[in-house]
mmCIF file of all heavy atoms in Angstrom:
data_model
loop_
_atom_site.group_PDB
_atom_site.id
_atom_site.type_symbol
_atom_site.label_atom_id
_atom_site.label_comp_id
_atom_site.label_asym_id
_atom_site.label_seq_id
_atom_site.Cartn_x
_atom_site.Cartn_y
_atom_site.Cartn_z
ATOM 1 N N ALA A 239 -71.832 25.088 -20.764
ATOM 2 C CA ALA A 239 -71.988 24.045 -19.790
ATOM 3 C C ALA A 239 -73.456 23.812 -19.325
ATOM 4 O O ALA A 239 -73.789 22.880 -18.711
ATOM 5 C CB ALA A 239 -71.182 24.284 -18.571
ATOM 6 N N LEU A 240 -74.359 24.774 -19.696
ATOM 7 C CA LEU A 240 -75.718 24.693 -19.219
ATOM 8 C C LEU A 240 -76.424 23.414 -19.493
ATOM 9 O O LEU A 240 -77.198 22.861 -18.665
ATOM 10 C CB LEU A 240 -76.528 25.905 -19.688
ATOM 11 C CG LEU A 240 -76.222 27.224 -19.113
ATOM 12 C CD1 LEU A 240 -77.065 28.312 -19.651
ATOM 13 C CD2 LEU A 240 -76.335 27.205 -17.550
ATOM 14 N N PRO A 241 -76.378 22.842 -20.781
ATOM 15 C CA PRO A 241 -77.076 21.540 -21.001
ATOM 16 C C PRO A 241 -76.615 20.415 -20.091
ATOM 17 O O PRO A 241 -77.416 19.635 -19.607
ATOM 18 C CB PRO A 241 -76.768 21.297 -22.437
ATOM 19 C CG PRO A 241 -76.496 22.616 -23.067
ATOM 20 C CD PRO A 241 -75.813 23.357 -21.998
ATOM 21 N N LEU A 242 -75.319 20.374 -19.830
ATOM 22 C CA LEU A 242 -74.756 19.347 -18.904
ATOM 23 C C LEU A 242 -75.228 19.569 -17.496
ATOM 24 O O LEU A 242 -75.622 18.673 -16.731
ATOM 25 C CB LEU A 242 -73.236 19.295 -19.012
ATOM 26 C CG LEU A 242 -72.573 18.315 -18.007
ATOM 27 C CD1 LEU A 242 -73.041 16.906 -18.316
ATOM 28 C CD2 LEU A 242 -71.016 18.457 -18.175
ATOM 29 N N ILE A 243 -75.186 20.909 -17.048
ATOM 30 C CA ILE A 243 -75.632 21.195 -15.674
ATOM 31 C C ILE A 243 -77.102 20.805 -15.538
ATOM 32 O O ILE A 243 -77.497 20.227 -14.472
ATOM 33 C CB ILE A 243 -75.413 22.684 -15.398
ATOM 34 C CG1 ILE A 243 -73.939 23.000 -15.368
ATOM 35 C CG2 ILE A 243 -76.078 23.072 -14.116
ATOM 36 C CD1 ILE A 243 -73.590 24.472 -15.466
ATOM 37 N N GLU A 244 -77.914 21.061 -16.562
ATOM 38 C CA GLU A 244 -79.314 20.688 -16.501
ATOM 39 C C GLU A 244 -79.501 19.171 -16.222
ATOM 40 O O GLU A 244 -80.294 18.737 -15.429
ATOM 41 C CB GLU A 244 -80.035 21.096 -17.771
ATOM 42 C CG GLU A 244 -81.527 20.760 -17.800
ATOM 43 C CD GLU A 244 -82.141 21.111 -19.090
ATOM 44 O OE1 GLU A 244 -81.541 21.862 -19.924
ATOM 45 O OE2 GLU A 244 -83.285 20.591 -19.372
ATOM 46 N N LYS A 245 -78.717 18.375 -16.949
ATOM 47 C CA LYS A 245 -78.789 16.913 -16.783
ATOM 48 C C LYS A 245 -78.268 16.481 -15.372
ATOM 49 O O LYS A 245 -78.733 15.484 -14.801
ATOM 50 C CB LYS A 245 -78.003 16.197 -17.847
ATOM 51 C CG LYS A 245 -78.544 16.480 -19.273
ATOM 52 C CD LYS A 245 -80.044 16.014 -19.411
ATOM 53 C CE LYS A 245 -80.517 16.156 -20.818
ATOM 54 N NZ LYS A 245 -80.738 17.549 -21.208
ATOM 55 N N LEU A 246 -77.307 17.258 -14.811
ATOM 56 C CA LEU A 246 -76.789 16.891 -13.454
ATOM 57 C C LEU A 246 -77.792 17.188 -12.384
ATOM 58 O O LEU A 246 -77.572 16.723 -11.230
ATOM 59 C CB LEU A 246 -75.474 17.636 -13.243
ATOM 60 C CG LEU A 246 -74.229 17.171 -13.906
ATOM 61 C CD1 LEU A 246 -73.070 18.181 -13.670
ATOM 62 C CD2 LEU A 246 -73.808 15.772 -13.426
ATOM 63 N N PHE A 247 -78.838 17.858 -12.745
ATOM 64 C CA PHE A 247 -79.836 18.203 -11.782
ATOM 65 C C PHE A 247 -81.264 17.780 -12.202
ATOM 66 O O PHE A 247 -82.267 18.233 -11.693
ATOM 67 C CB PHE A 247 -79.865 19.700 -11.422
ATOM 68 C CG PHE A 247 -78.616 20.078 -10.655
ATOM 69 C CD1 PHE A 247 -77.549 20.515 -11.336
ATOM 70 C CD2 PHE A 247 -78.587 20.001 -9.314
ATOM 71 C CE1 PHE A 247 -76.364 20.907 -10.651
ATOM 72 C CE2 PHE A 247 -77.474 20.387 -8.616
ATOM 73 C CZ PHE A 247 -76.286 20.790 -9.239
ATOM 74 N N CYS A 248 -81.313 16.849 -13.182
ATOM 75 C CA CYS A 248 -82.620 16.338 -13.629
ATOM 76 C C CYS A 248 -83.272 15.402 -12.657
ATOM 77 O O CYS A 248 -84.482 15.173 -12.723
ATOM 78 C CB CYS A 248 -82.529 15.675 -14.989
ATOM 79 S SG CYS A 248 -81.618 14.164 -15.026
ATOM 80 N N GLU A 249 -82.525 14.833 -11.748
ATOM 81 C CA GLU A 249 -83.002 14.163 -10.599
ATOM 82 C C GLU A 249 -82.283 14.747 -9.408
ATOM 83 O O GLU A 249 -81.293 15.501 -9.564
ATOM 84 C CB GLU A 249 -82.720 12.664 -10.650
ATOM 85 C CG GLU A 249 -83.590 11.931 -11.734
ATOM 86 C CD GLU A 249 -83.496 10.459 -11.728
ATOM 87 O OE1 GLU A 249 -83.254 9.865 -10.638
ATOM 88 O OE2 GLU A 249 -83.691 9.857 -12.794
ATOM 89 N N VAL A 250 -82.741 14.522 -8.218
ATOM 90 C CA VAL A 250 -82.193 15.202 -6.993
ATOM 91 C C VAL A 250 -80.722 14.893 -6.872
ATOM 92 O O VAL A 250 -80.262 13.765 -6.999
ATOM 93 C CB VAL A 250 -82.994 14.805 -5.787
ATOM 94 C CG1 VAL A 250 -82.829 13.380 -5.422
ATOM 95 C CG2 VAL A 250 -82.682 15.743 -4.623
ATOM 96 N N ASN A 251 -79.963 15.942 -6.615
ATOM 97 C CA ASN A 251 -78.553 15.852 -6.326
ATOM 98 C C ASN A 251 -78.282 15.058 -4.980
ATOM 99 O O ASN A 251 -79.046 15.299 -4.035
ATOM 100 C CB ASN A 251 -77.906 17.260 -6.153
ATOM 101 C CG ASN A 251 -76.456 17.206 -5.872
ATOM 102 O OD1 ASN A 251 -75.677 16.610 -6.495
ATOM 103 N ND2 ASN A 251 -76.055 18.014 -4.837
ATOM 104 N N PRO A 252 -77.380 14.087 -4.987
ATOM 105 C CA PRO A 252 -76.287 13.769 -5.900
ATOM 106 C C PRO A 252 -76.562 12.566 -6.814
ATOM 107 O O PRO A 252 -75.573 11.926 -7.194
ATOM 108 C CB PRO A 252 -75.133 13.508 -4.968
ATOM 109 C CG PRO A 252 -75.748 12.774 -3.835
ATOM 110 C CD PRO A 252 -77.128 13.456 -3.647
ATOM 111 N N ILE A 253 -77.781 12.211 -7.033
ATOM 112 C CA ILE A 253 -78.098 11.032 -7.872
ATOM 113 C C ILE A 253 -77.386 11.097 -9.312
ATOM 114 O O ILE A 253 -76.625 10.214 -9.612
ATOM 115 C CB ILE A 253 -79.585 10.756 -8.071
ATOM 116 C CG1 ILE A 253 -80.194 10.336 -6.706
ATOM 117 C CG2 ILE A 253 -79.841 9.746 -9.095
ATOM 118 C CD1 ILE A 253 -81.753 10.266 -6.681
ATOM 119 N N PRO A 254 -77.569 12.235 -10.012
ATOM 120 C CA PRO A 254 -76.986 12.243 -11.317
ATOM 121 C C PRO A 254 -75.418 12.368 -11.308
ATOM 122 O O PRO A 254 -74.779 11.721 -12.143
ATOM 123 C CB PRO A 254 -77.589 13.542 -11.987
ATOM 124 C CG PRO A 254 -78.857 13.711 -11.216
ATOM 125 C CD PRO A 254 -78.531 13.349 -9.838
ATOM 126 N N VAL A 255 -74.836 13.098 -10.385
ATOM 127 C CA VAL A 255 -73.430 13.295 -10.404
ATOM 128 C C VAL A 255 -72.718 11.999 -10.005
ATOM 129 O O VAL A 255 -71.611 11.669 -10.559
ATOM 130 C CB VAL A 255 -72.991 14.461 -9.479
ATOM 131 C CG1 VAL A 255 -73.066 14.131 -8.036
ATOM 132 C CG2 VAL A 255 -71.490 14.890 -9.916
#
Side-chain angles (χ1 to χ4, degrees):
L240 288 182
L242 176 58
I243 293 166
E244 180 183 345
K245 296 300 182 292
L246 284 174
F247 291 91
C248 68
E249 293 187 25
V250 68
N251 180 49
I253 292 173
V255 73

